[in-house]
Amino acid sequence: MEKSSILKVDFEDFEISEKMGFVLEKPQTKLPDYYEVWMDIACNLTHLIESRTLRDVVRKMPELSLRHLHSHRELRLARLALGVITMGYVWQEGQTAPAQVLPRNLAVPYWLLSQKVGLPPILVYADVILANWKLKDPNRCLHKRLLCLHYTAYTLFFFFPEYFIRMTSCVVYQNRNIEVIFSLPGGETCSGFIIVSMLVEQAASPGITGALEVDRALKTSDISGIKEGLSEVTRALKAMKETFELLHSHVDPTTFHATLRIFLSGWRDNPMLPNGLVYEDISDEPVLLSGGSAGQSSSIQCFDALLCVRHYDETAAFLARMREYMPAPHQRLIHSLSGSLRDFIMSCSNPDLCRSYNSCITALLDLRNYHINAVAKYILVPAHRARLSGCPLGGVGMALDSRGAGGSNIMGFLKTVRNNTRKALITEPHC
């Protein structure tokens, strides 16, 4: 079987796309008419939250069954709709009065739908980032758009893929042909945050292919194949960082911290909802669930697994828990890549192979350092300014100033993960 055919089987088994990576390709944007009430509420979510009427509207909506949902994409869209409605319902009043109970007519279908999809009943990264995008003009879809680019773009693709990915990501975003399906409060900052994050994941896609190629080559000790795959991973990591830079043009730090961030927060390790959330007629006791977090990015954990970046104690436990918030096929891919690449390279005494591996680690380090700087800009600095002014920004106040949406001690966690990545570098005498 040819390599391309083998990889195609992997793409299908792990529910990933060669062009989009872990991003859901061509997400559904409409549901059967039976679910019109869910779609109407989700589409008007920001207005309903700002007018403080969302909770009243949700309490009055009928309890719907799932019998009219059939395809995987329909299930994902329905989950996304109920996910944003749930976040809006819980956090409508900000930190002052978060909902303690999710009403039955929302809790029951959301719980059953989540079981069907295999994800926890809370808005996760796979919902709000990977499945929350659409094209305004379907005739100018992402990949057809690329075919219309000048010959220079083809040259970039073949010789400098990371710059090609960055260029096409910027073109698609700047042309405003891409938009979110459902928005949370925060206006352009919300849509900018979601779209840029999605484009970062899309930029990872050649690296996912490279990771699969490395894994295949490792099984036969094919050093040339390993080097080629590692080069793809390095280029993808650099492209992810460069795409991440779009955040500064499209996301306002004050709006992100004061308005959007609370609606990404969960009810585990969260001082605003310390006991969790009751799902009426599902759970008598409050359920503890983490909000959508970058720790739930399958791409980053995939690269960690491939490159044998080791995490320990609380950091390892947190990342393992975040995998439970990923689609099951993505979890399987991460597990399948958790092998012995680093040990193999150290046993080969091949300086070129070692340098290829270290280039990957360096690119991952650069991405993680950039993430740390972004967290400082979008969370720590606005929080500090709010404290100095004596004004607790918006609904979050100071409750989440040191915690990520997933509940981690955010800066300590990120620095520990970064330091663990640096430890993976192979030094003399192996290089």
Side-chain angles (χ1 to χ4, degrees):
M1 189 181 291
E2 294 182 359
K3 182 172 76 170
S4 60
S5 299
I6 294 172
L7 289 177
K8 184 177 180 181
V9 171
D10 285 335
F11 294 143
E12 292 171 353
D13 287 348
F14 298 122
E15 293 185 8
I16 54 179
S17 159
E18 183 176 8
K19 296 176 181 177
M20 301 299 290
F22 290 106
V23 176
L24 182 65
E25 198 164 20
K26 298 179 181 177
Q28 193 91 1
T29 58
K30 295 181 180 179
L31 291 177
D33 292 343
Y34 175 77
Y35 301 102
E36 183 178 5
V37 63
W38 290 357
M39 294 295 288
D40 284 348
I41 294 173
C43 287
N44 292 289
L45 191 76
T46 298
H47 169 71
L48 293 171
I49 291 171
E50 291 174 350
S51 62
R52 299 293 190 267
T53 58
L54 175 63
R55 289 181 182 173
D56 291 336
V57 170
V58 167
R59 292 188 192 104
K60 294 174 183 175
M61 76 179 189
E63 182 180 328
L64 304 182
S65 81
L66 308 182
R67 67 180 182 274
H68 300 292
L69 297 172
H70 303 294
S71 71
H72 176 70
R73 281 173 171 77
E74 282 185 341
L75 293 170
R76 291 290 294 273
L77 177 59
R79 225 192 88 87
L80 174 62
L82 294 186
V84 297
I85 293 170
T86 294
M87 292 314 230
Y89 186 92
V90 171
W91 300 116
Q92 174 182 287
E93 303 299 327
Q95 69 171 347
T96 57
Q100 307 290 321
V101 178
L102 202 64
R104 176 191 164 89
N105 58 344
L106 176 55
V108 170
Y110 192 30
W111 189 281
L112 296 177
L113 180 58
S114 297
Q115 286 187 320
K116 205 174 182 70
V117 174
L119 289 168
I122 189 172
L123 190 71
V124 300
Y125 189 90
D127 300 315
V128 72
I129 303 300
L130 302 184
N132 189 22
W133 68 280
K134 63 180 179 178
L135 297 170
K136 291 181 179 180
D137 180 1
N139 296 320
R140 248 189 339 119
C141 70
L142 184 59
H143 305 302
K144 286 182 182 177
R145 171 70 182 169
L146 303 192
L147 295 177
C148 299
L149 293 175
H150 189 268
Y151 173 79
T152 305
Y154 287 107
T155 305
L156 283 171
F157 177 74
F158 286 112
F159 296 102
F160 305 100
E162 67 274 22
Y163 296 110
F164 175 82
I165 292 168
R166 182 188 181 194
M167 179 183 69
T168 53
S169 296
C170 291
V171 165
V172 171
Y173 193 99
Q174 296 295 347
N175 282 359
R176 306 296 291 176
N177 191 39
I178 189 168
E179 62 184 351
V180 297
I181 299 173
F182 302 127
S183 185
L184 293 162
E188 289 296 312
T189 283
C190 175
S191 58
F193 175 76
I194 292 170
I195 291 170
V196 170
S197 299
M198 185 279 285
L199 291 174
V200 170
E201 290 291 332
Q202 188 267 336
S205 57
I208 307 303
T209 301
L212 291 169
E213 291 174 351
V214 170
D215 190 54
R216 292 278 181 183
L218 186 60
K219 290 178 172 64
T220 58
S221 301
D222 176 6
I223 290 178
S224 176
I226 294 173
K227 286 171 61 179
E228 288 178 10
L230 288 175
S231 294
E232 290 186 46
V233 173
T234 299
R235 287 193 291 267
L237 286 165
K238 290 179 179 179
M240 290 172 73
K241 176 179 174 290
E242 291 166 347
T243 306
F244 198 179
E245 293 173 6
L246 291 171
L247 205 68
H248 301 293
S249 304
H250 300 284
V251 180
D252 174 69
T254 300
T255 305
F256 177 83
H257 178 267
T259 304
L260 173 60
R261 193 164 176 250
I262 193 171
F263 293 99
L264 302 173
S265 304
W267 26 96
R268 174 171 179 159
D269 299 322
N270 185 341
M272 294 184 291
L273 258 181
N275 299 319
L277 180 70
V278 172
Y279 291 70
E280 187 178 23
D281 287 349
I282 291 289
S283 58
D284 294 328
E285 297 297 323
V287 177
L288 300 171
L289 291 171
S290 298
S293 161
Q296 296 166 12
S297 167
S298 301
S299 297
I300 296 299
Q301 291 220 31
C302 174
F303 295 138
D304 267 357
L306 174 75
L307 300 171
C308 307
V309 176
R310 305 301 183 200
H311 302 290
Y312 307 93
D313 304 325
E314 292 181 3
T315 301
F318 177 79
L319 290 170
R321 181 158 59 82
M322 290 299 98
R323 287 195 289 275
E324 298 172 5
Y325 292 74
M326 300 175 188
H330 298 180
Q331 295 181 44
R332 291 199 305 271
L333 174 56
I334 293 167
H335 179 74
S336 74
L337 293 174
S338 302
S340 55
L341 174 63
R342 189 173 185 274
D343 289 341
F344 174 82
I345 292 172
M346 291 178 69
S347 69
C348 284
S349 299
N350 184 313
D352 287 342
L353 182 59
C354 183
R355 280 191 289 271
S356 295
Y357 172 85
N358 278 348
S359 292
C360 281
I361 294 295
T362 300
L364 183 56
L365 264 175
D366 289 344
L367 179 60
R368 284 188 154 137
N369 277 322
Y370 199 84
H371 188 197
I372 288 172
N373 292 335
V375 166
K377 176 177 178 177
Y378 286 95
I379 298 176
L380 301 187
V381 171
H384 179 67
R385 288 174 178 165
R387 285 194 298 272
L388 289 179
S389 68
C391 174
L393 291 171
V396 179
M398 294 182 287
L400 291 179
D401 285 352
S402 62
R403 292 190 175 274
S408 65
N409 182 331
I410 188 165
M411 196 55 80
F413 168 78
L414 292 177
K415 288 182 177 179
T416 298
V417 166
R418 186 267 316 273
N419 294 342
N420 291 340
T421 305
R422 184 181 292 116
K423 291 175 184 177
L425 285 166
I426 300 175
T427 57
E428 297 288 353
H430 303 285
C431 279

